[in-house]
Amino acid sequence: MKGIILWFLMCLSAPAFAGNLWCYGLVKNVYVDKAGSVVFNSSFRNDYLKACNLKSDDTVTCSLWASMLMSAVTHNLTIRVMYSDNGLACGALNTYGTSPEPVYIMLNNEK
């Protein structure tokens, strides 16, 4: 009986991890445009990705993400970005305004 319950719980939790993508690398550049978009260039994509928009997304989260990205550039630190269910590899993510929305951005104390 315990085995059946365990199997059932594992099946229920599998979708939580299905399709998630974790991208890891250095941040080369960050800019904020007039419209409020926070955009960064990272080593995992080698092109610009939109993190969020300071005017239309949660302003606290977006401001923190912008600060973390700028700190990564300043201190040459790596980041880890999680994207949900996009079906792509890190190097094939859509860029600029068509970038997928991150689930989280983590600042790593690693080089």
Side-chain angles (χ1 to χ4, degrees):
M1 183 64 159
K2 286 182 182 179
I4 293 172
I5 293 171
L6 180 61
W7 177 82
F8 182 72
L9 290 174
M10 287 174 36
C11 288
L12 286 177
S13 66
F17 296 103
N20 290 339
L21 177 66
W22 290 267
C23 301
Y24 178 82
L26 291 170
V27 179
K28 300 175 184 179
N29 302 301
V30 180
Y31 71 86
V32 179
D33 67 17
K34 181 178 174 180
S37 292
V38 177
V39 184
F40 67 101
N41 185 326
S42 68
S43 62
F44 62 78
R45 179 60 179 97
N46 290 315
D47 207 340
Y48 286 90
L49 301 168
K50 179 180 161 190
C52 55
N53 186 288
L54 291 161
K55 295 181 181 180
S56 62
D57 294 330
D58 180 314
T59 55
V60 173
T61 300
C62 192
S63 296
L64 289 168
W65 284 358
S67 176
M68 291 168 65
L69 291 166
M70 290 177 203
S71 187
V73 171
T74 302
H75 301 290
N76 198 34
L77 298 173
T78 58
I79 61 165
R80 183 177 310 269
V81 183
M82 181 184 155
Y83 296 98
S84 179
D85 195 29
N86 61 31
L88 297 172
C90 295
L93 292 169
N94 291 339
T95 58
Y96 293 93
T98 61
S99 301
E101 182 179 337
V103 174
Y104 70 75
I105 297 176
M106 177 189 297
L107 184 60
N108 296 302
N109 192 16
E110 305 168 3
K111 297 197 177 179

